[in-house]
């Protein structure tokens, strides 16, 4: 009789394990409490208990089975009441079949009523690694419908679902009463119990097997035990995949648009693509519709997001420019594709119908929208980039026709080993075409060769020698439309040859200091370049400049290619590094001096106007991975007045 009981019990997957599928809702941090002898955290009376149970589902005494229809079981006592027709197994009852393991203190089968009851520290573990616990499980003899009291399901990823009562119906539907869910573990790394700081609570959770959906009634998010976020009408698919439906509404209030409510509707087209449509309703503005399409392909992914409305154009000042309603909108898209280990393509695009739409509907505060694309090939010793970009201005007084469109930007580089002196040779080819509908147009191409040789002397000095040769050709027209004369250059075709040599010496001194290691490194660099006709060349990419520690020792301290610093100069500075376990300090300070008295190309305020530059430096203090402080500064060369002062702080673990 007992063998038949457990053989029948193993033919169906226990119903209480099915309730855990797709239950994951969110990730959350936990608040831990630690004691020397951790006590069990008891759930309040009438509340679902998410804490671990003092019972194991592993069946160590039950024999292993040889086939799918066999059940191995063990119990301290087995009794059969022939008058009442009841089979009772008591005392550490264990069973296993098809990798499903169960234990209980007592199992009773009433053959007259068909009721099967497992009582006392019931634990069941399925092949997926999920474990279900209960104080008392009542089943029919079909083992496909029944009731679980004080249920707890622990998934293999640590998430857990608890309920005061769980019921499975004959059609496969499951209903949980007074349920709670959390993805957080209930023990810290030292094994001390803790309560989750976030959990989902619900009066009732219903699993609809036919629709493969989980619905909640009276759901809410509890934070540190406080019910803060209600989730009316919450539902989701009963698996790890997303499903179509209404998402959580968004509610906002501002003085421009008044009260706003947005109700997103999610449409799952396929496992690798979806659409979200969100209508926005306002009390003080015309309604707006938002749509987003996302797709994942075999070689990459992309998304398209757009906003549209039909309203009057209103500037930031609030005065209506055009009272007539018209179509207004904003469109953006971004994506990246990896064709092969070397070839990739990425893009991002942004465009709007007018300059006030995005601020009017609080989409973005950007004053310029840039669209870009880039095709890259990255090899072991070569690099190729074909790119382009365009800008839409949203500034009040800017003329759109004067905004540049760069197409194409081509940059190719190839590194070669120097067969003669043992250094490294880098070849570079570069082209750029910039067009404007109401401004200056410029085209550029150049080819260059750079040679670098690094070595160490017998005294420990690190010496780097550099030689550079480059030939440029430019063409420009409509030059007078550029307001600043220094940026115009000469109309028509212009050529330029560039040559530069440099020697850079670093001499590190290492020693012990305060229980750690310190390194003091003086550095000197000499750069020489013949006089160049920079002002005859249009300046498109070298306009923004500020002297700082990162470009102090650069061969060309301009930010782009259109300007190249000529003449001779000497740059000097010192670096100091200190390190000990968990603590480091890196500091540098330097200055440069031009050997020629030719007027500087750098504008006032950059720190390089005179022959002697301002003093620049940087100090970084780091404590493990938790704290990093960086201080950058620029001091006036004459009176050491602070011309720039920056402090960056990063605090926190990874």
């Amino acid at each position: 009789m007992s063998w038949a009981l457990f053989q029948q019990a193993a033919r169906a997957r226990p119903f209480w394990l099915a309730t855990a599928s797709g239950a994951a809702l969110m990730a959350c941090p936990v608040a831990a409490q630690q004691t020397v002898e951790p006590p069990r955290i008891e759930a309040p009376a009438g509340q679902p208990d998410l804490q671990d149970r003092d019972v194991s589902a592993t069946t160590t005494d039950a024999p292993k089975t040889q086939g799918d229809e066999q059940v191995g079981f063990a119990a301290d006592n087995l009794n059969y009441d022939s008058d009442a027709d009841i089979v009772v197994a008591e005392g550490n009852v264990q069973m296993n079949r098809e990798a499903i393991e169960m234990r209980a203190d007592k199992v009773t089968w009433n053959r007259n009523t068909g009721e099967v009851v497992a009582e006392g520290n019931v634990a069941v573990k399925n092949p997926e690694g999920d474990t279900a616990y209960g104080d008392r499980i009542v089943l029919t003899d079909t083992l496909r419908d029944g009731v679980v009291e004080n249920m707890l399901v622990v998934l293999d990823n640590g998430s857990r679902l608890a309920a005061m009562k769980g019921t499975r119906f004959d059609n496969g539907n499951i209903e949980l009463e007074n349920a709670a869910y959390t993805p957080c573990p209930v023990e810290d790394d030292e094994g001390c119990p803790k309560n989750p700081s976030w959990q989902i609570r619900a009066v009732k959770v219903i699993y609809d097997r036919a629709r493969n959906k989980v619905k909640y009634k009276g759901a809410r998010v509890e934070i540190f035990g406080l019910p803060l976020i209600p989730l009316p009408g919450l539902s989701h698919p009963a698996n790890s995949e997303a499903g179509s439906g209404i998402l959580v509404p968004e509610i906002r209030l501002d003085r421009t648009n008044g009260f706003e409510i947005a109700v997103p509707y999610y449409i799952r087209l396929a496992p690798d693509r979806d659409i979200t449509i969100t209508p926005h309703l306002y009390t003080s503005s015309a309604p707006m519709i938002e749509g987003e399409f996302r797709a994942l392909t075999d070689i990459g992914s992309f998304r398209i997001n757009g906003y549209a409305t039909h309203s009057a154009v209103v500037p930031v000042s609030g005065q209506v420019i055009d009272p007539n309603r018209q179509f207004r909108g904003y469109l953006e898209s971004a994506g990246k594709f990896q064709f092969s280990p070397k070839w990739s393509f990425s893009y991002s695009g942004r465009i709007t119908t007018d300059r006030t739409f995005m601020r009017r509907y609080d989409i973005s505060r950007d004053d310029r929208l840039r669209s870009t694309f880039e095709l890259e090939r990255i090899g072991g010793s070569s690099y190729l980039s074909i790119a382009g970009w365009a800008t839409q201005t949203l500034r009040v007084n800017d003329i759109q026709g004067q905004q540049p469109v760069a197409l194409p930007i081509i940059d190719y580089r190839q590194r070669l080993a120097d067969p003669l002196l043992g250094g490294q040779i880098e070849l570079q080819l570069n082209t750029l075409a910039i067009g404007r509908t109401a401004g200056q147009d410029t085209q550029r191409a150049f080819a260059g060769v750079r040679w670098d040789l690094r070595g160490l002397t017998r005294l420990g000095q690190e010496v780097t020698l550099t030689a550079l040769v480059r030939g440029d050709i430019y063409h420009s027209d409509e030059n007078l439309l550029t307001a600043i004369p220094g940026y115009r250059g000469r109309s028509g075709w212009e050529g330029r040859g560039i040559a530069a040599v440099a020697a850079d010496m670093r001499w590190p001194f290492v020693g012990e200091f305060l229980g750690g290691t310190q390194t003091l490194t003086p550095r000197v660099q000499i750069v020489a370049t013949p006089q160049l006709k920079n002002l005859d060349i249009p300046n498109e990419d070298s306009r923004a400049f500020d002297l700082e520690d990162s470009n102090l020792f650069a061969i060309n301290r301009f930010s782009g290619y259109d300007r190249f610093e000529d003449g001779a100069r000497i740059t000097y500075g010192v670096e100091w590094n200190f390190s000990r376990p968990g603590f480091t300090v890196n500091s540098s300070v330097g200055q440069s001096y031009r050997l020629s008295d030719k007027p500087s190309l750098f504008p006032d305020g950059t720190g390089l106007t005179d022959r002697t530059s301002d003093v620049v430096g940087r100090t970084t203090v780091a404590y493990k991975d938790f704290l990093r402080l960086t201080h950058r500064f620029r001091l006036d060369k004459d009176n050491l007045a602070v011309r720039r002062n920056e402090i960056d702080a990063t605090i926190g673990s990874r």
Side-chain angles (χ1 to χ4, degrees):
M1 293 297 183
S2 59
W3 182 270
L5 165 67
F6 288 108
Q7 189 175 19
Q8 185 179 14
R11 288 196 179 102
R13 174 186 171 116
F15 76 92
W16 50 88
L17 294 185
T19 62
S21 61
L25 299 179
M26 63 179 66
C28 61
V30 293
Q33 63 179 36
Q34 300 180 358
T35 58
V36 177
E37 295 182 358
R40 171 175 166 79
I41 300 177
E42 297 291 346
Q47 300 293 334
D49 188 2
L50 290 166
Q51 298 297 317
D52 284 333
R53 309 290 169 86
D54 297 328
V55 59
S56 174
T58 303
T59 57
T60 57
D61 297 332
K64 299 298 182 181
T65 59
Q66 301 298 324
D68 295 344
E69 297 301 324
Q70 294 184 355
V71 177
F73 78 96
D76 294 341
N77 297 293
L78 184 63
N79 300 305
Y80 174 60
D81 187 343
S82 58
D83 296 333
D85 204 7
I86 295 177
V87 180
V88 179
E90 293 182 287
N92 192 26
V93 183
Q94 301 180 12
M95 64 154 280
N96 61 69
R97 179 184 183 273
E98 294 181 337
I100 296 178
E101 300 175 283
M102 186 189 82
R103 74 149 328 272
D105 293 342
K106 181 179 180 181
V107 174
T108 304
W109 177 32
N110 190 323
R111 300 186 65 189
N112 291 324
T113 63
E115 183 181 73
V116 178
V117 180
E119 298 177 282
N121 298 318
V122 183
V124 182
K125 186 176 183 180
N126 68 2
E128 290 77 18
D130 306 334
T131 303
Y133 302 89
D135 290 345
R136 187 170 185 266
I137 299 179
V138 181
L139 308 172
T140 64
D141 53 8
T142 63
L143 300 181
R144 296 185 180 276
D145 57 314
V147 177
V148 183
E149 296 179 0
N150 192 15
M151 185 194 74
L152 171 67
V153 177
V154 180
L155 305 183
D156 60 347
N157 60 6
S159 303
R160 48 191 61 216
L161 177 69
M164 295 301 298
K165 181 180 179 181
T167 305
R168 186 182 193 275
F169 301 97
D170 191 49
N171 61 359
N173 290 356
I174 299 170
E175 185 176 292
L176 306 179
E177 298 180 13
N178 197 357
Y181 170 79
T182 179
C184 308
V186 296
E187 287 187 355
D188 59 19
D189 295 336
E190 299 180 2
C192 297
K194 60 185 177 183
N195 282 320
S197 56
W198 289 67
Q199 63 177 313
I200 300 294
R201 292 284 309 278
V203 176
K204 186 174 291 186
V205 180
I206 302 172
Y207 166 59
D208 190 333
R209 182 179 182 182
R211 301 179 60 187
N212 193 34
K213 200 167 189 179
V214 179
K215 301 178 182 179
Y216 297 80
K217 292 184 179 180
R220 63 189 183 276
V221 177
E222 287 193 358
I223 304 175
F224 298 108
L226 300 177
L228 297 181
I229 305 176
L231 301 173
L234 176 66
S235 65
H236 60 78
N239 50 38
S240 59
E241 297 182 356
S244 301
I246 298 176
L247 304 181
V248 178
E250 302 175 8
I251 298 176
R252 291 196 300 178
L253 179 66
D254 63 57
R255 61 182 181 180
T256 303
N257 298 317
F259 179 79
E260 173 191 356
I261 181 170
V263 184
Y265 187 83
Y266 177 81
I267 304 174
R268 186 170 178 83
L269 302 176
D272 57 356
R273 59 198 62 210
D274 55 37
I275 294 177
T276 304
I277 300 176
T278 308
H280 296 256
L281 302 178
Y282 309 89
T283 58
S284 302
S285 299
M288 179 180 66
I289 188 73
E290 175 189 358
E292 182 180 27
F293 174 76
R294 301 183 303 175
L296 178 67
T297 69
D298 294 337
I299 60 174
S301 63
F302 69 95
R303 66 174 182 87
I304 303 174
N305 192 24
Y307 301 78
T309 187
H310 192 263
S311 64
V313 178
V314 181
V316 179
S317 61
Q319 298 178 356
V320 178
I321 297 178
D322 185 358
N324 297 321
R325 292 178 176 267
Q326 57 183 281
F327 172 79
R328 306 177 67 194
Y330 166 66
L331 181 66
E332 65 176 352
S333 180
K336 184 170 184 178
F337 304 92
Q338 192 76 37
F339 304 114
S340 69
K342 294 183 178 181
W343 285 95
S344 66
F345 176 79
S346 60
Y347 79 93
S348 65
R350 306 176 69 190
I351 188 172
T352 184
T353 55
D354 57 80
R355 303 192 183 195
T356 63
F357 173 77
M358 299 179 65
R359 294 191 63 184
R360 181 69 171 86
Y361 287 93
D362 202 19
I363 299 173
S364 172
R365 298 286 173 172
D366 294 342
D367 58 1
R368 285 171 295 181
L369 303 180
R370 173 172 288 191
S371 300
T372 66
F373 79 88
E374 184 173 25
L375 177 66
E376 280 187 306
R377 184 189 184 279
I378 302 176
S381 59
S382 63
Y383 174 77
L384 171 65
S385 171
I386 303 175
W389 52 262
T391 302
Q392 180 183 9
T393 182
L394 305 182
R395 298 181 179 182
V396 177
N397 297 320
D398 281 2
I399 301 174
Q400 180 61 42
Q402 294 182 354
Q403 304 305 310
V405 176
L407 184 70
I409 307 170
I410 302 176
D411 189 61
Y412 175 75
R413 306 184 188 203
Q414 177 73 51
R415 287 182 176 178
L416 306 172
D418 183 359
L420 299 178
L421 301 178
Q424 181 176 268
I425 299 175
E426 180 178 295
L427 309 176
Q428 182 179 8
L429 299 175
N430 183 280
T431 66
L432 168 66
I434 290 181
R436 299 176 177 87
T437 58
Q440 180 175 333
D441 298 332
T442 302
Q443 298 84 41
R444 176 193 74 202
F446 70 77
V449 180
R450 175 169 173 162
W451 170 79
D452 291 281
L453 176 64
R454 176 182 174 274
L456 297 175
T457 67
R458 295 181 178 179
L459 297 178
Q461 299 160 330
E462 178 187 348
V463 179
T464 302
L465 303 178
T466 301
L468 183 148
V469 178
R470 200 179 88 189
D472 304 345
I473 184 170
Y474 282 79
H475 178 269
S476 62
D477 52 26
E478 304 291 344
N479 299 58
L480 296 179
L481 296 178
T482 300
I484 300 177
Y487 295 160
R488 296 174 183 170
R490 299 179 61 179
S491 297
W493 294 93
E494 290 290 335
R496 178 179 61 181
I498 298 174
V501 293
D504 193 317
M505 188 274 289
R506 297 160 51 96
W507 196 353
F509 296 89
V510 183
E512 297 182 357
F513 180 66
L514 295 179
T517 303
Q518 66 171 338
T519 305
L520 185 67
T521 307
R523 182 178 182 181
V524 179
Q525 180 195 62
I526 298 177
V527 180
T529 303
Q531 182 175 345
L532 305 175
K533 54 175 185 177
N534 278 297
L535 295 180
D536 293 343
I537 302 299
N539 183 3
E540 295 281 4
D541 65 5
S542 302
R543 300 181 181 185
F545 175 81
D546 196 7
L547 181 65
E548 54 188 16
D549 64 285
S550 62
N551 59 21
L552 178 65
F553 287 91
I555 303 299
N556 179 30
R557 293 187 286 195
F558 281 101
S559 56
Y561 296 109
D562 292 339
R563 291 290 179 266
F564 198 97
E565 187 176 3
D566 55 5
R569 67 179 185 272
I570 180 172
T571 305
Y572 42 87
V574 62
E575 301 174 3
W576 180 72
N577 301 321
F578 169 71
S579 63
R580 57 179 303 169
F583 182 77
T584 59
V585 179
N586 300 312
S587 184
S588 64
V589 63
Q591 188 181 36
S592 68
Y593 177 77
R594 276 205 316 274
L595 302 178
S596 61
D597 56 0
K598 179 183 177 182
S600 172
L601 288 173
F602 298 97
D604 293 338
T606 59
L608 283 175
T609 306
D610 299 328
R611 296 180 64 178
T612 303
S613 74
D614 287 348
V615 179
V616 295
R618 172 191 48 81
T619 299
T620 299
V621 179
Y623 174 69
K624 296 184 177 180
D625 290 332
F626 179 74
L627 175 66
R628 178 176 294 271
L629 301 175
T630 301
H631 176 224
R632 298 181 181 87
F633 63 89
R634 179 162 63 88
L635 306 179
D636 188 273
K637 62 181 180 59
D638 297 322
N639 53 17
L640 299 182
V642 177
R643 299 305 180 194
R644 193 182 66 188
N645 199 28
E646 299 179 6
I647 297 178
D648 298 335
T650 303
I651 302 175
S653 63
R654 293 184 180 178

